[in-house]
Amino acid sequence: MLYTKPLANLIGELQKLPGIGPKSAQRLAFFLIRQPKSEIQSLADALLEAKERINACSHCCNLSAEDPCELCRHPGRQDDILCVVAEPKDLIALERTTEFKGRYHVLGGVISPLDGIGPEQLKVAELLKRLDNHAVQEVILALNPTIEGEATTLYILRLLKPLGLRITRLALGLPMGTELEYADELTLARALTGRREL
Amino acid sequence: MLYTKPLANLIGELQKLPGIGPKSAQRLAFFLIRQPKSEIQSLADALLEAKERINACSHCCNLSAEDPCELCRHPGRQDDILCVVAEPKDLIALERTTEFKGRYHVLGGVISPLDGIGPEQLKVAELLKRLDNHAVQEVILALNPTIEGEATTLYILRLLKPLGLRITRLALGLPMGTELEYADELTLARALTGRREL
């Protein structure tokens, strides 16, 4: 009764989004109904089109509107180096660096028994199949340095070891721009063991 | 090239929303495309329906899918007391208190020369017209105690004064649950001048 029905409905739908509470949902809804019809139509279209057209690439399992995805099709990328990430957003983060020129494989998550995610929910079989043709020389396991990420790294490491490939992981150490004084012990310890010759 | 096209498009649309930056837009987009089709369809429908159906009530100028709105039509509300608010969200905030049983009038903003909003952009003529039939005995000017709100209060006060109605404003004073020690001087001064007999 507080809100007129279509408004209550819109606020309800917006509240389902992550990080959007009742206050933000109300603010967004009032903002949205003040926008011109065309803006609302573009947003609604973008939502439906994204859902409709985006699927997993059959090669790398990344989200894409095309299959194979742009990265898998790209002629300028190296085929001999494969970077394994947990989620599409991790791939995006790595691409932003413009440092990596190889291919990717997206697992679709990490092993997390508490969330009911075991290895069989991840695209591990697809990863092994991609390594079958021996084109890949190095696999970078670029998973988050969290408990779940580490467990997943170890799990995949054990599977890949027999294949005789070079298997690497991202360096652990001090983030750029921080001060030694404020680094946690674990990070600093990893930075020490991972020190590099100058 | 970072994002597949429909995803880039969705992120772009989400970034137009207030308080949603690039990071949040990416997070929302990844969340949304993982939802079932039906969820996305409901959100898109809610957006379009809200925009399509919600208009200003011809009586109180509040947003409503019906005209006159539910509050204007409600038989249990007092016709002799009218609460003037700036925005629909202020009406919602007052309704949440369940303290007020009269009718509302929504101005649609406050006088703010910097934003190009003068009295003629507000629903002031509509307010005066509603007072024509002499049913209203008291007008509560419930505008924000900000510079713009105060200016608007004074402007409307001057217009209504000749009508001989009771004109009131919301009490200014200490917010509940706060400590005197931390109240700003202006608030505390208002709390003093507005003190009440016990």
Side-chain angles (χ1 to χ4, degrees), chain B residues 67-129:
Chain B
D67 190 17
C69 73
E70 290 155 53
L71 280 167
C72 284
R73 284 200 330 259
H74 197 293
R77 313 281 303 208
Q78 292 170 245
D79 281 318
D80 58 347
I81 178 162
L82 188 70
C83 183
V84 177
V85 294
E87 303 274 4
K89 62 174 179 250
D90 302 325
L91 182 157
I92 299 289
L94 286 164
E95 277 299 283
R96 278 195 212 284
T97 68
T98 70
E99 278 290 313
F100 180 67
K101 302 295 180 212
R103 309 277 180 189
Y104 288 95
H105 188 80
V106 181
L107 290 176
V110 284
I111 297 168
S112 171
L114 284 178
D115 302 317
I117 301 176
E120 59 288 344
Q121 268 87 50
L122 305 179
K123 306 291 185 186
V124 177
E126 288 82 350
L127 170 63
L128 291 172
K129 203 161 150 256

Side-chain angles (χ1 to χ4, degrees), chain A residues 22-96:
Chain A
K23 281 268 171 188
S24 306
Q26 182 192 301
R27 193 164 53 103
L28 287 174
F30 279 129
F31 170 86
L32 285 162
I33 53 184
R34 272 199 312 262
Q35 299 311 298
K37 176 80 199 297
S38 59
E39 284 292 310
I40 304 300
Q41 190 68 58
S42 330
L43 174 55
D45 290 348
L47 281 162
L48 293 171
E49 203 198 330
K51 182 63 197 171
E52 198 72 57
R53 290 193 42 207
I54 298 175
N55 284 298
C57 166
S58 58
H59 283 58
C60 70
C61 309
N62 187 26
L63 296 170
S64 176
E66 292 158 59
D67 190 17
C69 73
E70 290 155 54
L71 280 168
C72 284
R73 283 198 331 257
H74 198 293
R77 312 282 303 208
Q78 291 169 248
D79 282 317
D80 58 347
I81 179 162
L82 188 70
C83 182
V84 177
V85 295
E87 304 273 4
K89 62 176 179 252
D90 303 324
L91 182 157
I92 299 288
L94 286 165
E95 277 299 284
R96 279 195 212 283

